[in-house]
Amino acid sequence: MRVLKFGGSSLATPQRIRGVAAIVAAAAQQERVVIVVSALQGVTDQLLGTARLAERGDAAWTAQHRAIARRHMETARRLTPSRGGAALQRRLTAMLDELRDVLRGIHLLRHAPPRALDHVASFGERLSSEIVAAHLAQSHRAVAVDTRELVVTDDHFTQAAVQLDATYRKIRARLRTLLRTSRGVIPVVTGFIGATPDGRTTTIGRNGSDYSGALFGAALGASVIEIWTDVDGILSADPSCVPGAFVIERLSYEEAMELSYFGAKVLHSAAIAPAVAKRIPLLVKNTLNPEAPGTWVSARAETSPPVAKGITSIDGMALLTLRGLSMVGVPGTAQRLFGALASHDVSVILISQASSEHTLCFAIRAADLSVARKAITHEFRYEFQQAVTTLDEAPGQSIVAIVGEGMKGTPGVAGRVFDSLGRNNVSIAAIAQGASERNISFVVPTTSRVRALRAIHEAFFEPRRKLMLVVVGVGNIGEALLRQIEQQRRYLLERGFDVRVGALCNSRGCIMDAEGIDLKHWRKRLKASRKPITPAQLALAVEAFEWTHAALVDCTASSDVVDAYPDFVRAQLHIVTPNKQANVLPMKRYAALTELLRERHRYFLYEANVGAGLPVISTLQDLVASGDSVTRIEGIFSGTLSYLFNGGPDVPFSARVKSAHELGFTEPDPREDLSGRDVARKLLVLARLTGLALELKDVVVEDLVPQPLRKGPRRDAFFDELARFDAAMTARHAAAAKRGKVLRYVGVLSKGRASAGLAEYPVEHPLALGRGSDNIIAFTSRRYARTPLVIQGPGAGADVTAMGVFSDLLKLLHYLPASRGYAGVT
Ligand code: ADP
Ligand code: ASP
Ligand code: MG
């Protein structure tokens, strides 16, 4: 047995009702079905509006009544042209006459108490069930059932509470007889309405047909309760405010409850309860698109639920703040406050209390504001008299809630919510997070509601950007980078970035995985692979994966990989690298590569080329891009050379080189550093960035390796040999000291020329102030004319270099366009 509930939106037009009949007919072929219907779309509002007119003595109520009558008669006429048309017309006419009598009564008395409103509202469902049943009856057996005979409620009119046991008993008994006497009949049941035990008509709250559907499902032990509406299911947000909202495949009962409680009217929050009690799944489906799979709501737990499932909002809230010194440390204030509200039937939607207890802040429906104010001023009359307590009121508020089982124990969810709101200039008036951690809700002015919803939806649900990496070289830097990527995976995911390593190679082997390599075990797998591959082959291989966004991360220092850069660019990969070789290629090849990158819209990022993790490249790029003209770049670009001179003259130069070597500050052969070649490359990278078409040979460098040792001794003999030249270096230190200066190995780019070598600086000069292996780079420009812009910090080492590469990856991620087709953040 299946229960199918059709909302007003599914019954908006005769055309839609025909669609409903088709859905019902198909379902009835498979199983027994019970149909629950709402009023035709908009009719409940119209009925209540007419009652209000009559209450005010406004004669327009009669015209309204005629309009309602016309709509129903017309719909009936179009849907029952053949059999049963006349009988239906008669029944509808009788009902509409009764409705007119009730409205006239209200008009005469100028009074529409809740009881009368319920009576008026009940006609919507009574009329629609007759129409739908008669239409179905043209091809099936179908009968309208008035639930005032079945759904037993208390007399809390407009919000009546259902008495479950009595209701279930009546539903079972009635349907059993019905199905016995008339085999295969389809009952078309009125949603939304019920009656007190003594027969007075009640309604069970707006949108209550969903609840009716659930009651029938629970009473009859249905296999599923289907809620048919006008959207493809429960969406991650109200689609009318958030264009990017998408259908949620499944929800737990609790999640659905939270979403509907806080305003996702697609499912009435009370509807869940009977289904939960009987463990009956709910399926939300689209009448206009029956093929869509819809949303399942059930007890089934998900193994790895997304952090958040959906966001919702309710308008028409007022935020009240009870404030006062009298509340500090006085137990029972909250009890008195909420007790007073409860005794006046004011329900509190959200509470937040500052730990200082100076204030108690809570949200209620704005419609309850005057009642609430009265209740509170009475309860706290003495405090108000003595002016120790005050009540602030802010109407025009909305509550926004973000919901999901996955938020439990996931750090940073609230941070992300409020961060995204902050960046979108939404200020928050109150915040509450339930102990279940399934829901974070907060109050914002209604004027910011849509902005808030969109900001959060974007932060939590919008398509994630996925980037596949091809990492070549797993020496110190590559290894550190993989570690950082693995460590920051969650951080990136939470920001909507999915970074995976799709290929990983060194000179001895290569591993690949279209879906991404598990970075916990790469070492073992790479070692086992023993299948070296040339860079050009690698480019071809990764092209075949057809990744949407991919980048080569060249963590080698070799020019072999650089030679294959064009192949990677043609394979649609961006390039990110600490390797300087590409930037110091002969100008012709460099220009060809740049042109190819431009043509293919690929990025080439190389922050770690200079100063490792220090933002040297990006700073220079920003200066140039923002129209500054850089007149001079002067700096200590080598961590090794920095270390050698920062110590001063006290330790002999050769001993210092030796200790640098031992500390791992130098290349395997320290002459690589002492020669100044590395500094020359960095200067060239910067020079080309400023638009200079220099070649490496144009950079003039002072080689600190004494002439006789340049080709000569083996590495281990080198230090001893170097000691023979210590005196010369000590003399240079001494000469500088005599002039009150210190010695530094500095690269300079100025007036189109680049050079590097030893120079003397006053002790208070920025370049004289480095420590350890610091890099110090000073930019002088039109804007930074008097005092240069100085960047200083450790400029060598695997971790900081990898960080420079990582920052390029982040930049790249932000450049990527968002891709669609993703549901939820895990
Ligand atoms: P019915 O008449 O079928 O009961 P409702 O109008 O009560 O339909 O509920 C369906 C509407 O709920 C949708 O058309 C949509 O505009 C709105 N809605 C609000 N929030 C959501 C959400 N999170 N998911 C789906 N629909 C939503
Ligand atoms: N017709 C009722 C209403 O508009 C009940 C429902 O649609 O669920 O509130
Ligand atoms: Mg509804």
Side-chain angles (χ1 to χ4, degrees):
M1 145 89 58
R2 258 198 267 173
V3 172
L4 283 71
K5 177 260 166 175
F6 293 91
S9 59
S10 300
L11 309 171
T13 60
Q15 177 65 17
R16 287 201 188 172
I17 297 176
R18 284 196 192 98
V20 167
I23 292 165
V24 172
Q29 297 225 311
Q30 301 168 359
E31 253 175 296
R32 275 186 15 219
V33 293
V34 172
I35 310 304
V36 177
V37 293
S38 301
L40 307 191
Q41 191 168 44
V43 167
T44 308
D45 285 336
Q46 227 176 343
L47 286 166
L48 294 172
T50 310
R52 293 285 176 216
L53 286 176
E55 184 185 31
R56 273 189 264 129
D58 189 330
W61 74 264
T62 51
Q64 282 291 326
H65 172 265
R66 274 197 304 278
I68 293 169
R70 219 178 304 122
R71 177 169 176 198
H72 286 89
M73 297 307 277
E74 173 65 13
T75 307
R77 201 178 49 71
R78 292 185 42 194
L79 290 172
T80 52
S82 55
R83 264 195 307 146
L88 173 64
Q89 302 271 339
R90 271 197 306 279
R91 275 200 296 279
L92 295 186
T93 308
M95 274 186 204
L96 289 162
D97 287 349
E98 185 193 338
L99 170 62
R100 195 184 44 228
D101 292 344
V102 179
L103 289 167
R104 186 174 291 140
I106 292 175
H107 182 74
L108 287 173
L109 295 170
R110 298 283 195 276
H111 186 42
R115 180 179 169 186
L117 290 176
D118 272 1
H119 194 168
V120 169
S122 75
F123 284 91
E125 272 69 12
R126 287 156 64 193
L127 290 161
S128 72
S129 66
E130 290 289 354
I131 293 173
V132 172
H135 177 59
L136 271 174
Q138 304 206 311
S139 51
H140 287 76
R141 286 157 162 247
V143 56
V145 176
D146 185 334
T147 46
R148 289 179 301 168
E149 292 154 30
L150 306 180
V151 174
V152 186
T153 72
D154 67 6
D155 62 358
H156 201 299
F157 295 100
T158 75
Q159 296 274 352
V162 176
Q163 294 169 3
L164 290 180
D165 288 341
T167 300
Y168 288 171
R169 235 181 296 121
K170 287 196 167 199
I171 290 176
R172 283 191 205 115
R174 172 68 173 278
L175 286 210
R176 213 172 290 139
T177 350
L178 188 65
L179 294 169
R180 200 176 330 114
T181 50
S182 174
R183 265 179 61 85
V185 71
I186 302 174
V188 181
V189 172
T190 55
F192 184 50
I193 63 178
T196 58
D198 58 354
R200 288 171 293 159
T201 301
T202 54
T203 65
I204 55 177
R206 292 306 306 273
N207 249 319
S209 301
D210 298 338
Y211 187 31
S212 309
L215 289 171
F216 273 79
L220 301 169
S223 57
V224 57
I225 299 161
E226 299 181 358
I227 307 287
W228 289 82
T229 181
D230 63 349
V231 283
D232 277 348
I234 301 181
L235 297 159
S236 54
D238 184 342
S240 58
C241 322
V242 181
F246 53 83
V247 178
I248 307 168
E249 226 173 281
R250 34 182 76 250
L251 287 165
S252 69
Y253 287 127
E254 291 77 9
E255 288 171 331
M257 183 81 139
E258 300 277 350
L259 282 173
S260 55
Y261 180 78
F262 282 106
K265 70 165 176 170
V266 62
L267 196 61
H268 187 284
S269 59
I272 319 283
V276 180
K278 297 267 157 84
R279 288 300 194 239
I280 301 172
L282 293 150
L283 176 59
V284 180
K285 295 272 290 177
N286 190 351
T287 308
L288 308 176
N289 181 19
E291 273 72 49
T295 300
W296 282 98
V297 180
S298 67
R300 211 186 89 170
E302 281 172 275
T303 36
S304 53
V307 171
K309 285 279 185 65
I311 42 172
T312 50
S313 63
I314 14 177
D315 291 347
M317 294 288 129
L319 189 67
L320 302 187
T321 308
L322 190 67
R323 185 188 307 277
L325 279 176
S326 63
M327 291 162 59
V328 181
V330 180
T333 307
Q335 193 197 2
R336 284 172 62 203
L337 172 65
F338 297 121
L341 291 171
S343 67
H344 286 76
D345 268 349
V346 174
S347 73
V348 177
I349 318 279
L350 173 150
I351 304 170
S352 116
Q353 177 176 24
S355 59
S356 71
E357 288 188 60
H358 275 289
T359 63
L360 249 166
C361 183
F362 56 97
I364 58 171
R365 289 195 186 79
D368 291 338
L369 187 55
S370 63
V371 177
R373 187 189 303 127
K374 230 184 265 166
I376 296 167
T377 31
H378 180 72
E379 177 65 38
F380 292 92
R381 55 194 177 278
Y382 300 118
E383 286 91 339
F384 281 133
Q385 257 163 27
Q386 292 163 29
V388 287
T389 296
T390 57
L391 181 69
D392 299 340
E393 298 173 9
Q397 306 291 310
S398 296
I399 296 181
V400 175
I402 173 158
V403 172
E405 299 283 356
M407 298 193 325
K408 231 175 284 175
T410 305
V413 178
R416 200 151 111 224
V417 171
F418 301 121
D419 175 61
S420 64
L421 292 175
R423 275 188 284 115
N424 283 277
N425 270 322
V426 176
S427 63
I428 305 152
I431 301 169
Q433 173 167 26
S436 71
E437 287 193 58
R438 201 180 285 127
N439 169 335
I440 297 175
S441 25
F442 53 90
V443 179
V444 295
T446 301
T447 47
S448 321
R449 178 184 64 110
V450 171
R451 200 147 35 103
L453 285 171
R454 289 193 181 166
I456 295 176
H457 198 270
E458 203 178 290
F460 280 84
F461 304 110
E462 308 269 294
R464 200 191 257 158
R465 278 165 265 194
K466 185 169 171 183
L467 178 66
M468 299 302 295
L469 303 181
V470 174
V471 179
V472 182
V474 283
N476 291 342
I477 296 170
E479 205 177 69
L481 180 68
L482 292 175
R483 209 167 38 238
Q484 289 176 12
I485 291 172
E486 165 78 351
Q487 254 165 27
Q488 295 308 101
R489 178 159 176 77
R490 192 186 189 119
Y491 172 94
L492 291 170
L493 281 175
E494 281 175 355
R495 280 150 187 80
F497 299 128
D498 187 357
V499 180
R500 301 176 190 203
V501 176
L504 187 56
C505 314
N506 62 8
S507 53
R508 284 178 298 280
C510 186
I511 49 176
M512 295 187 207
D513 190 335
E515 288 308 309
I517 296 161
D518 181 353
L519 289 184
K520 287 191 186 75
H521 310 294
W522 68 265
R523 229 177 289 264
K524 245 201 334 233
R525 283 193 53 200
L526 183 61
K527 206 160 171 198
S529 92
R530 278 195 230 102
K531 250 198 302 185
I533 183 171
T534 67
Q537 286 168 333
L538 177 61
L540 273 181
V542 297
E543 187 173 17
F545 287 129
E546 297 200 49
W547 290 318
T548 335
H549 304 297
L552 168 72
V553 184
D554 173 14
C555 293
T556 71
S558 95
S559 51
D560 293 354
V561 185
V562 170
D563 290 344
Y565 279 11
D567 300 311
F568 284 102
V569 174
R570 285 191 207 97
Q572 297 302 324
L573 273 79
H574 304 283
I575 297 171
V576 175
T577 185
N579 186 350
K580 290 181 279 289
Q581 299 294 347
N583 274 324
V584 302
L585 281 172
M587 201 57 208
K588 223 168 123 191
R589 280 185 63 197
Y590 174 80
L593 177 64
T594 312
E595 176 57 22
L596 180 66
L597 288 159
R598 198 189 54 77
E599 197 180 284
R600 297 292 175 121
H601 303 286
R602 297 297 98 180
Y603 291 101
F604 177 36
L605 303 170
Y606 45 88
E607 182 65 72
N609 269 197
V610 181
L614 299 178
V616 178
I617 301 283
S618 49
T619 300
L620 180 55
Q621 280 169 331
D622 290 351
L623 287 172
V624 173
S626 66
D628 203 350
S629 75
V630 178
T631 47
R632 184 182 176 86
I633 303 173
E634 187 177 15
I636 297 175
F637 293 100
S638 153
T640 317
L641 293 172
S642 175
Y643 174 81
L644 293 182
F645 292 95
N646 285 343
D650 299 340
V651 181
F653 188 61
S654 63
R656 203 142 176 93
V657 174
K658 195 165 181 191
S659 83
H661 185 67
E662 275 155 12
L663 286 168
F665 284 175
T666 67
E667 294 294 326
D669 186 343
R671 277 170 289 192
E672 232 358 82
D673 301 298
L674 295 178
S675 69
R677 272 194 292 276
D678 190 54
V679 176
R681 287 193 199 105
K682 289 170 178 165
L683 276 175
L684 183 60
V685 174
L686 297 178
R688 287 183 173 177
L689 261 178
T690 63
L692 291 173
L694 295 185
E695 298 285 358
L696 194 53
K697 64 174 170 37
D698 298 328
V699 186
V700 184
V701 286
E702 178 181 356
D703 192 336
L704 295 185
V705 183
Q707 187 71 45
L709 306 184
R710 288 190 189 157
K711 298 244 153 56
R714 291 211 342 261
R715 242 182 254 174
D716 33 0
F718 173 70
F719 298 106
D720 294 333
E721 295 278 344
L722 186 62
R724 293 197 284 122
F725 299 88
D726 278 342
M729 189 57 85
T730 309
R732 288 187 74 167
H733 275 297
K738 225 155 99 196
R739 288 187 278 272
K741 295 184 173 178
V742 292
L743 217 48
R744 294 288 183 264
Y745 193 95
V746 169
V748 179
L749 181 66
S750 172
K751 300 202 173 80
R753 275 207 295 273
S755 60
L758 280 175
E760 295 177 9
Y761 285 89
V763 286
E764 69 285 353
H765 190 277
L767 292 187
L769 298 176
R771 274 184 310 192
S773 61
D774 277 0
N775 279 15
I776 307 173
I777 292 96
F779 295 98
T780 309
S781 71
R782 209 180 54 242
R783 286 190 200 124
Y784 294 95
R786 280 163 183 268
T787 319
L789 186 165
V790 178
I791 298 172
Q792 172 173 3
D799 251 319
V800 285
T801 307
M803 189 210 112
V805 180
F806 195 89
S807 75
D808 278 340
L809 289 179
L810 288 178
K811 223 180 276 170
L812 186 56
L813 287 168
H814 283 98
Y815 293 154
L816 298 181
S819 58
R820 292 206 56 87
Y822 145 79
V825 177
T826 52

